[in-house]
């Protein structure tokens, strides 16, 4: 886990990735936070984007590639490789975790109905400002697993991934519950 470079030489799936896609500037602590978040959110159908090499030649396989953004649901996680699939286009792509960004919802995007449901579940989200950094604390008055599953089901960013640049703000209606 500490040496992702070795993964470039291993396995058929990983060989599809080009080193140019690998972002070496992500901090290890951010990579681990993103990994934990993706693993926890995968069962809830989290949508993510990555960079994918697309063959733009008329006759496929002639090496005329360009990088394009690819969005879909996370289908497989095999650290440090994340697979994303788009069932409607019947396409998929593998990418290094450093190039994957999930779409999450900010706490402020909750609808009135979701706010009511959140309160009924006993989930209280507090924003605490400390040294110009906003922390989101969660106070639970209900079953922890049930509350956490509700948060993940609603794709809420409770760990500040959007602010850190590790996630995108989900557009309205992306996750219809």
């Amino acid at each position: 886990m500490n040496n992702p470079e070795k993964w470039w030489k291993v396995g058929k799936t990983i060989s599809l990735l080009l080193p140019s896609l690998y972002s070496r500037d992500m901090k290890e602590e951010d990579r681990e936070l993103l990994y934990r978040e993706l693993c926890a959110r995968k069962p809830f159908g989290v949508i993510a984007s990555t960079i994918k090499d697309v063959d733009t030649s008329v006759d496929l396989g002639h090496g005329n590639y360009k990088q394009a953004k690819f969005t879909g649901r996370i289908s497989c996680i095999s650290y440090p490789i994340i697979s994303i699939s788009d069932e409607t286009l019947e396409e998929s792509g593998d990418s290094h975790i450093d190039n994957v960004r999930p779409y999450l919802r900010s706490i402020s995007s909750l609808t009135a109905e979701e706010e009511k449901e959140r309160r009924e579940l006993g989930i209280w989200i507090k924003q605490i400002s400390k040294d110009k950094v906003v922390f989101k604390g969660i106070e639970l008055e209900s079953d922890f697993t049930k509350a956490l599953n509700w948060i993940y089901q609603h794709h809420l960013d409770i760990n500040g991934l959007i602010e850190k640049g590790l996630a995108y703000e989900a557009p309205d209606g992306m996750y219809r519950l």
Side-chain angles (χ1 to χ4, degrees), residues 131-168:
D131 298 329
K132 298 183 182 179
V133 177
V134 175
F135 297 96
K136 295 178 181 81
I138 299 174
E139 184 178 315
L140 303 174
E141 293 178 0
S142 66
D143 177 74
F144 178 77
T145 303
K146 185 177 181 180
L148 199 54
N149 284 342
W150 186 89
I151 289 167
Y152 287 146
Q153 179 184 11
H154 288 81
H155 306 283
L156 298 176
D157 179 15
I158 57 170
N159 287 312
L161 271 68
I162 295 170
E163 291 87 7
K164 289 182 176 191
L166 299 174
Y168 297 128

mmCIF file of all heavy atoms in Angstrom, residues 131-168:
data_model
loop_
_atom_site.group_PDB
_atom_site.id
_atom_site.type_symbol
_atom_site.label_atom_id
_atom_site.label_comp_id
_atom_site.label_asym_id
_atom_site.label_seq_id
_atom_site.Cartn_x
_atom_site.Cartn_y
_atom_site.Cartn_z
ATOM 1 N N ASP A 131 -9.428 27.475 13.638
ATOM 2 C CA ASP A 131 -8.270 27.878 12.842
ATOM 3 C C ASP A 131 -8.606 27.950 11.353
ATOM 4 O O ASP A 131 -7.873 27.436 10.515
ATOM 5 C CB ASP A 131 -7.095 26.924 13.069
ATOM 6 C CG ASP A 131 -6.624 26.929 14.501
ATOM 7 O OD1 ASP A 131 -6.726 27.968 15.175
ATOM 8 O OD2 ASP A 131 -6.167 25.872 14.950
ATOM 9 N N LYS A 132 -9.726 28.547 11.032
ATOM 10 C CA LYS A 132 -10.183 28.744 9.654
ATOM 11 C C LYS A 132 -10.486 27.437 8.914
ATOM 12 O O LYS A 132 -10.564 27.401 7.711
ATOM 13 C CB LYS A 132 -9.177 29.570 8.858
ATOM 14 C CG LYS A 132 -8.980 30.963 9.408
ATOM 15 C CD LYS A 132 -8.036 31.741 8.548
ATOM 16 C CE LYS A 132 -7.830 33.115 9.149
ATOM 17 N NZ LYS A 132 -6.904 33.911 8.367
ATOM 18 N N VAL A 133 -10.602 26.340 9.653
ATOM 19 C CA VAL A 133 -10.967 25.058 9.054
ATOM 20 C C VAL A 133 -12.311 24.659 9.632
ATOM 21 O O VAL A 133 -12.540 24.762 10.823
ATOM 22 C CB VAL A 133 -9.914 23.970 9.365
ATOM 23 C CG1 VAL A 133 -10.337 22.635 8.799
ATOM 24 C CG2 VAL A 133 -8.555 24.381 8.828
ATOM 25 N N VAL A 134 -13.213 24.210 8.787
ATOM 26 C CA VAL A 134 -14.537 23.812 9.256
ATOM 27 C C VAL A 134 -14.563 22.295 9.435
ATOM 28 O O VAL A 134 -14.235 21.548 8.529
ATOM 29 C CB VAL A 134 -15.631 24.248 8.260
ATOM 30 C CG1 VAL A 134 -16.990 23.729 8.694
ATOM 31 C CG2 VAL A 134 -15.652 25.762 8.142
ATOM 32 N N PHE A 135 -14.901 21.868 10.626
ATOM 33 C CA PHE A 135 -15.044 20.450 10.898
ATOM 34 C C PHE A 135 -16.529 20.129 11.008
ATOM 35 O O PHE A 135 -17.289 20.903 11.577
ATOM 36 C CB PHE A 135 -14.351 20.084 12.217
ATOM 37 C CG PHE A 135 -12.872 20.304 12.200
ATOM 38 C CD1 PHE A 135 -12.339 21.481 12.702
ATOM 39 C CD2 PHE A 135 -12.028 19.354 11.670
ATOM 40 C CE1 PHE A 135 -10.982 21.698 12.690
ATOM 41 C CE2 PHE A 135 -10.666 19.568 11.648
ATOM 42 C CZ PHE A 135 -10.137 20.744 12.157
ATOM 43 N N LYS A 136 -16.920 18.990 10.491
ATOM 44 C CA LYS A 136 -18.306 18.560 10.615
ATOM 45 C C LYS A 136 -18.341 17.417 11.615
ATOM 46 O O LYS A 136 -17.824 16.346 11.352
ATOM 47 C CB LYS A 136 -18.838 18.105 9.258
ATOM 48 C CG LYS A 136 -18.903 19.224 8.248
ATOM 49 C CD LYS A 136 -19.382 18.704 6.929
ATOM 50 C CE LYS A 136 -19.432 19.812 5.925
ATOM 51 N NZ LYS A 136 -18.148 20.128 5.337
ATOM 52 N N GLY A 137 -18.930 17.684 12.757
ATOM 53 C CA GLY A 137 -19.057 16.655 13.779
ATOM 54 C C GLY A 137 -20.439 16.042 13.722
ATOM 55 O O GLY A 137 -21.413 16.711 13.414
ATOM 56 N N ILE A 138 -20.516 14.762 13.992
ATOM 57 C CA ILE A 138 -21.803 14.065 13.959
ATOM 58 C C ILE A 138 -22.097 13.544 15.361
ATOM 59 O O ILE A 138 -21.278 12.879 15.971
ATOM 60 C CB ILE A 138 -21.778 12.904 12.956
ATOM 61 C CG1 ILE A 138 -21.501 13.439 11.556
ATOM 62 C CG2 ILE A 138 -23.080 12.132 12.995
ATOM 63 C CD1 ILE A 138 -21.311 12.368 10.550
ATOM 64 N N GLU A 139 -23.260 13.875 15.816
ATOM 65 C CA GLU A 139 -23.702 13.410 17.124
ATOM 66 C C GLU A 139 -24.904 12.506 16.870
ATOM 67 O O GLU A 139 -25.834 12.874 16.159
ATOM 68 C CB GLU A 139 -24.107 14.615 17.970
ATOM 69 C CG GLU A 139 -24.497 14.267 19.376
ATOM 70 C CD GLU A 139 -24.834 15.518 20.159
ATOM 71 O OE1 GLU A 139 -24.087 16.507 20.069
ATOM 72 O OE2 GLU A 139 -25.880 15.486 20.833
ATOM 73 N N LEU A 140 -24.845 11.319 17.411
ATOM 74 C CA LEU A 140 -25.905 10.345 17.140
ATOM 75 C C LEU A 140 -26.706 10.047 18.401
ATOM 76 O O LEU A 140 -26.137 9.869 19.466
ATOM 77 C CB LEU A 140 -25.300 9.048 16.617
ATOM 78 C CG LEU A 140 -24.444 9.163 15.366
ATOM 79 C CD1 LEU A 140 -23.796 7.830 15.056
ATOM 80 C CD2 LEU A 140 -25.284 9.630 14.200
ATOM 81 N N GLU A 141 -27.990 10.011 18.211
ATOM 82 C CA GLU A 141 -28.873 9.578 19.294
ATOM 83 C C GLU A 141 -29.602 8.313 18.864
ATOM 84 O O GLU A 141 -30.657 7.996 19.362
ATOM 85 C CB GLU A 141 -29.881 10.685 19.618
ATOM 86 C CG GLU A 141 -29.241 11.912 20.217
ATOM 87 C CD GLU A 141 -30.255 13.004 20.490
ATOM 88 O OE1 GLU A 141 -31.456 12.806 20.220
ATOM 89 O OE2 GLU A 141 -29.841 14.065 20.967
ATOM 90 N N SER A 142 -29.031 7.635 17.870
ATOM 91 C CA SER A 142 -29.670 6.426 17.369
ATOM 92 C C SER A 142 -28.595 5.378 17.097
ATOM 93 O O SER A 142 -27.424 5.582 17.371
ATOM 94 C CB SER A 142 -30.441 6.739 16.085
ATOM 95 O OG SER A 142 -29.547 7.111 15.061
ATOM 96 N N ASP A 143 -29.010 4.274 16.537
ATOM 97 C CA ASP A 143 -28.108 3.188 16.183
ATOM 98 C C ASP A 143 -27.030 3.698 15.219
ATOM 99 O O ASP A 143 -27.338 4.235 14.163
ATOM 100 C CB ASP A 143 -28.927 2.059 15.547
ATOM 101 C CG ASP A 143 -28.056 0.924 15.085
ATOM 102 O OD1 ASP A 143 -27.573 0.168 15.942
ATOM 103 O OD2 ASP A 143 -27.849 0.819 13.866
ATOM 104 N N PHE A 144 -25.770 3.537 15.591
ATOM 105 C CA PHE A 144 -24.654 4.070 14.807
ATOM 106 C C PHE A 144 -24.643 3.539 13.376
ATOM 107 O O PHE A 144 -24.506 4.304 12.423
ATOM 108 C CB PHE A 144 -23.328 3.736 15.501
ATOM 109 C CG PHE A 144 -22.132 4.220 14.729
ATOM 110 C CD1 PHE A 144 -21.778 5.553 14.738
ATOM 111 C CD2 PHE A 144 -21.384 3.340 13.977
ATOM 112 C CE1 PHE A 144 -20.683 6.010 14.024
ATOM 113 C CE2 PHE A 144 -20.287 3.779 13.258
ATOM 114 C CZ PHE A 144 -19.937 5.120 13.282
ATOM 115 N N THR A 145 -24.799 2.230 13.214
ATOM 116 C CA THR A 145 -24.754 1.632 11.880
ATOM 117 C C THR A 145 -25.886 2.157 11.016
ATOM 118 O O THR A 145 -25.670 2.496 9.842
ATOM 119 C CB THR A 145 -24.828 0.092 11.979
ATOM 120 O OG1 THR A 145 -23.762 -0.355 12.811
ATOM 121 C CG2 THR A 145 -24.725 -0.550 10.621
ATOM 122 N N LYS A 146 -27.077 2.239 11.565
ATOM 123 C CA LYS A 146 -28.225 2.745 10.809
ATOM 124 C C LYS A 146 -27.990 4.197 10.381
ATOM 125 O O LYS A 146 -28.257 4.575 9.245
ATOM 126 C CB LYS A 146 -29.496 2.636 11.660
ATOM 127 C CG LYS A 146 -30.759 3.018 10.938
ATOM 128 C CD LYS A 146 -31.971 2.799 11.830
ATOM 129 C CE LYS A 146 -33.246 3.164 11.118
ATOM 130 N NZ LYS A 146 -34.419 2.958 11.964
ATOM 131 N N ALA A 147 -27.462 5.004 11.290
ATOM 132 C CA ALA A 147 -27.202 6.411 10.983
ATOM 133 C C ALA A 147 -26.117 6.559 9.922
ATOM 134 O O ALA A 147 -26.267 7.333 8.969
ATOM 135 C CB ALA A 147 -26.787 7.149 12.256
ATOM 136 N N LEU A 148 -25.035 5.812 10.060
ATOM 137 C CA LEU A 148 -23.948 5.902 9.085
ATOM 138 C C LEU A 148 -24.412 5.419 7.710
ATOM 139 O O LEU A 148 -24.078 6.031 6.686
ATOM 140 C CB LEU A 148 -22.744 5.089 9.568
ATOM 141 C CG LEU A 148 -21.422 5.417 8.922
ATOM 142 C CD1 LEU A 148 -21.088 6.900 9.029
ATOM 143 C CD2 LEU A 148 -20.315 4.587 9.536
ATOM 144 N N ASN A 149 -25.181 4.356 7.680
ATOM 145 C CA ASN A 149 -25.723 3.881 6.403
ATOM 146 C C ASN A 149 -26.613 4.942 5.759
ATOM 147 O O ASN A 149 -26.590 5.121 4.539
ATOM 148 C CB ASN A 149 -26.497 2.574 6.583
ATOM 149 C CG ASN A 149 -25.573 1.399 6.770
ATOM 150 O OD1 ASN A 149 -24.393 1.450 6.451
ATOM 151 N ND2 ASN A 149 -26.118 0.321 7.313
ATOM 152 N N TRP A 150 -27.398 5.653 6.554
ATOM 153 C CA TRP A 150 -28.253 6.716 6.015
ATOM 154 C C TRP A 150 -27.384 7.821 5.404
ATOM 155 O O TRP A 150 -27.676 8.319 4.320
ATOM 156 C CB TRP A 150 -29.156 7.279 7.113
ATOM 157 C CG TRP A 150 -30.156 8.271 6.602
ATOM 158 C CD1 TRP A 150 -31.409 8.007 6.132
ATOM 159 C CD2 TRP A 150 -29.969 9.690 6.487
ATOM 160 N NE1 TRP A 150 -32.021 9.167 5.734
ATOM 161 C CE2 TRP A 150 -31.157 10.221 5.933
ATOM 162 C CE3 TRP A 150 -28.941 10.553 6.787
ATOM 163 C CZ2 TRP A 150 -31.335 11.574 5.684
ATOM 164 C CZ3 TRP A 150 -29.106 11.907 6.533
ATOM 165 C CH2 TRP A 150 -30.297 12.404 5.993
ATOM 166 N N ILE A 151 -26.322 8.193 6.092
ATOM 167 C CA ILE A 151 -25.417 9.230 5.594
ATOM 168 C C ILE A 151 -24.788 8.799 4.274
ATOM 169 O O ILE A 151 -24.742 9.566 3.311
ATOM 170 C CB ILE A 151 -24.340 9.549 6.657
ATOM 171 C CG1 ILE A 151 -24.996 10.291 7.825
ATOM 172 C CG2 ILE A 151 -23.189 10.358 6.055
ATOM 173 C CD1 ILE A 151 -24.124 10.379 9.058
ATOM 174 N N TYR A 152 -24.308 7.552 4.210
ATOM 175 C CA TYR A 152 -23.693 7.052 2.968
ATOM 176 C C TYR A 152 -24.728 6.885 1.858
ATOM 177 O O TYR A 152 -24.443 7.148 0.694
ATOM 178 C CB TYR A 152 -22.965 5.739 3.215
ATOM 179 C CG TYR A 152 -21.669 5.904 3.976
ATOM 180 C CD1 TYR A 152 -21.250 4.932 4.874
ATOM 181 C CD2 TYR A 152 -20.864 7.021 3.811
ATOM 182 C CE1 TYR A 152 -20.062 5.071 5.568
ATOM 183 C CE2 TYR A 152 -19.679 7.169 4.504
ATOM 184 C CZ TYR A 152 -19.280 6.191 5.382
ATOM 185 O OH TYR A 152 -18.109 6.331 6.062
ATOM 186 N N GLN A 153 -25.928 6.446 2.208
ATOM 187 C CA GLN A 153 -26.993 6.283 1.215
ATOM 188 C C GLN A 153 -27.344 7.622 0.571
ATOM 189 O O GLN A 153 -27.679 7.688 -0.603
ATOM 190 C CB GLN A 153 -28.230 5.675 1.873
ATOM 191 C CG GLN A 153 -29.390 5.485 0.927
ATOM 192 C CD GLN A 153 -30.634 4.977 1.648
ATOM 193 O OE1 GLN A 153 -30.696 4.948 2.877
ATOM 194 N NE2 GLN A 153 -31.616 4.573 0.894
ATOM 195 N N HIS A 154 -27.237 8.685 1.339
ATOM 196 C CA HIS A 154 -27.547 10.023 0.825
ATOM 197 C C HIS A 154 -26.304 10.734 0.296
ATOM 198 O O HIS A 154 -26.374 11.898 -0.091
ATOM 199 C CB HIS A 154 -28.243 10.857 1.918
ATOM 200 C CG HIS A 154 -29.636 10.401 2.163
ATOM 201 N ND1 HIS A 154 -29.943 9.320 2.956
ATOM 202 C CD2 HIS A 154 -30.817 10.846 1.678
ATOM 203 C CE1 HIS A 154 -31.243 9.131 2.967
ATOM 204 N NE2 HIS A 154 -31.799 10.044 2.197
ATOM 205 N N HIS A 155 -25.185 10.014 0.274
ATOM 206 C CA HIS A 155 -23.930 10.494 -0.329
ATOM 207 C C HIS A 155 -23.472 11.831 0.244
ATOM 208 O O HIS A 155 -23.018 12.707 -0.490
ATOM 209 C CB HIS A 155 -24.068 10.555 -1.856
ATOM 210 C CG HIS A 155 -24.513 9.251 -2.429
ATOM 211 N ND1 HIS A 155 -23.670 8.177 -2.585
ATOM 212 C CD2 HIS A 155 -25.732 8.833 -2.843
ATOM 213 C CE1 HIS A 155 -24.336 7.158 -3.090
ATOM 214 N NE2 HIS A 155 -25.588 7.513 -3.250
ATOM 215 N N LEU A 156 -23.599 11.972 1.561
ATOM 216 C CA LEU A 156 -23.207 13.220 2.215
ATOM 217 C C LEU A 156 -21.708 13.236 2.508
ATOM 218 O O LEU A 156 -21.135 12.230 2.932
ATOM 219 C CB LEU A 156 -23.985 13.405 3.519
ATOM 220 C CG LEU A 156 -25.496 13.517 3.363
ATOM 221 C CD1 LEU A 156 -26.157 13.590 4.730
ATOM 222 C CD2 LEU A 156 -25.856 14.731 2.523
ATOM 223 N N ASP A 157 -21.095 14.365 2.287
ATOM 224 C CA ASP A 157 -19.679 14.551 2.558
ATOM 225 C C ASP A 157 -19.515 14.935 4.022
ATOM 226 O O ASP A 157 -19.684 16.080 4.397
ATOM 227 C CB ASP A 157 -19.110 15.646 1.648
ATOM 228 C CG ASP A 157 -17.638 15.896 1.903
ATOM 229 O OD1 ASP A 157 -16.992 15.057 2.569
ATOM 230 O OD2 ASP A 157 -17.137 16.930 1.437
ATOM 231 N N ILE A 158 -19.189 13.969 4.849
ATOM 232 C CA ILE A 158 -19.039 14.226 6.284
ATOM 233 C C ILE A 158 -17.574 14.361 6.695
ATOM 234 O O ILE A 158 -17.287 14.654 7.837
ATOM 235 C CB ILE A 158 -19.728 13.138 7.136
ATOM 236 C CG1 ILE A 158 -19.171 11.763 6.799
ATOM 237 C CG2 ILE A 158 -21.239 13.203 6.960
ATOM 238 C CD1 ILE A 158 -19.607 10.666 7.750
ATOM 239 N N ASN A 159 -16.663 14.121 5.762
ATOM 240 C CA ASN A 159 -15.239 14.204 6.093
ATOM 241 C C ASN A 159 -14.507 15.311 5.342
ATOM 242 O O ASN A 159 -13.287 15.315 5.292
ATOM 243 C CB ASN A 159 -14.555 12.856 5.832
ATOM 244 C CG ASN A 159 -14.929 11.833 6.884
ATOM 245 O OD1 ASN A 159 -14.879 12.115 8.070
ATOM 246 N ND2 ASN A 159 -15.332 10.658 6.442
ATOM 247 N N GLY A 160 -15.251 16.215 4.735
ATOM 248 C CA GLY A 160 -14.639 17.368 4.085
ATOM 249 C C GLY A 160 -13.873 17.068 2.814
ATOM 250 O O GLY A 160 -12.943 17.795 2.469
ATOM 251 N N LEU A 161 -14.254 16.013 2.098
ATOM 252 C CA LEU A 161 -13.559 15.666 0.860
ATOM 253 C C LEU A 161 -13.723 16.728 -0.217
ATOM 254 O O LEU A 161 -12.792 16.984 -0.980
ATOM 255 C CB LEU A 161 -14.036 14.307 0.331
ATOM 256 C CG LEU A 161 -13.272 13.095 0.847
ATOM 257 C CD1 LEU A 161 -13.507 12.865 2.319
ATOM 258 C CD2 LEU A 161 -13.619 11.870 0.058
ATOM 259 N N ILE A 162 -14.886 17.354 -0.283
ATOM 260 C CA ILE A 162 -15.118 18.397 -1.296
ATOM 261 C C ILE A 162 -14.160 19.555 -1.046
ATOM 262 O O ILE A 162 -13.495 20.031 -1.986
ATOM 263 C CB ILE A 162 -16.585 18.862 -1.296
ATOM 264 C CG1 ILE A 162 -17.518 17.715 -1.714
ATOM 265 C CG2 ILE A 162 -16.768 20.061 -2.232
ATOM 266 C CD1 ILE A 162 -19.000 17.999 -1.519
ATOM 267 N N GLU A 163 -14.072 19.995 0.204
ATOM 268 C CA GLU A 163 -13.194 21.117 0.538
ATOM 269 C C GLU A 163 -11.722 20.798 0.285
ATOM 270 O O GLU A 163 -10.943 21.666 -0.071
ATOM 271 C CB GLU A 163 -13.371 21.552 2.006
ATOM 272 C CG GLU A 163 -14.708 22.203 2.294
ATOM 273 C CD GLU A 163 -15.801 21.192 2.644
ATOM 274 O OE1 GLU A 163 -15.501 19.980 2.796
ATOM 275 O OE2 GLU A 163 -16.969 21.598 2.740
ATOM 276 N N LYS A 164 -11.337 19.530 0.453
ATOM 277 C CA LYS A 164 -9.951 19.119 0.234
ATOM 278 C C LYS A 164 -9.633 18.880 -1.238
ATOM 279 O O LYS A 164 -8.490 18.596 -1.577
ATOM 280 C CB LYS A 164 -9.652 17.827 1.008
ATOM 281 C CG LYS A 164 -9.583 17.997 2.493
ATOM 282 C CD LYS A 164 -9.234 16.679 3.150
ATOM 283 C CE LYS A 164 -9.074 16.883 4.638
ATOM 284 N NZ LYS A 164 -8.485 15.713 5.270
ATOM 285 N N GLY A 165 -10.653 18.931 -2.100
ATOM 286 C CA GLY A 165 -10.429 18.664 -3.518
ATOM 287 C C GLY A 165 -10.373 17.177 -3.842
ATOM 288 O O GLY A 165 -9.963 16.788 -4.923
ATOM 289 N N LEU A 166 -10.833 16.344 -2.902
ATOM 290 C CA LEU A 166 -10.826 14.900 -3.115
ATOM 291 C C LEU A 166 -12.162 14.388 -3.642
ATOM 292 O O LEU A 166 -12.305 13.194 -3.920
ATOM 293 C CB LEU A 166 -10.482 14.175 -1.809
ATOM 294 C CG LEU A 166 -9.109 14.500 -1.214
ATOM 295 C CD1 LEU A 166 -8.950 13.825 0.147
ATOM 296 C CD2 LEU A 166 -8.002 14.084 -2.165
ATOM 297 N N ALA A 167 -13.151 15.268 -3.753
ATOM 298 C CA ALA A 167 -14.473 14.905 -4.261
ATOM 299 C C ALA A 167 -15.078 16.112 -4.964
ATOM 300 O O ALA A 167 -14.681 17.249 -4.714
ATOM 301 C CB ALA A 167 -15.390 14.451 -3.124
ATOM 302 N N TYR A 168 -16.022 15.828 -5.846
ATOM 303 C CA TYR A 168 -16.778 16.880 -6.522
ATOM 304 C C TYR A 168 -18.124 17.049 -5.822
ATOM 305 O O TYR A 168 -18.680 16.087 -5.297
ATOM 306 C CB TYR A 168 -17.059 16.517 -7.984
ATOM 307 C CG TYR A 168 -15.831 16.368 -8.843
ATOM 308 C CD1 TYR A 168 -15.648 15.223 -9.601
ATOM 309 C CD2 TYR A 168 -14.872 17.369 -8.926
ATOM 310 C CE1 TYR A 168 -14.537 15.080 -10.415
ATOM 311 C CE2 TYR A 168 -13.756 17.231 -9.734
ATOM 312 C CZ TYR A 168 -13.599 16.079 -10.478
ATOM 313 O OH TYR A 168 -12.494 15.942 -11.280
#
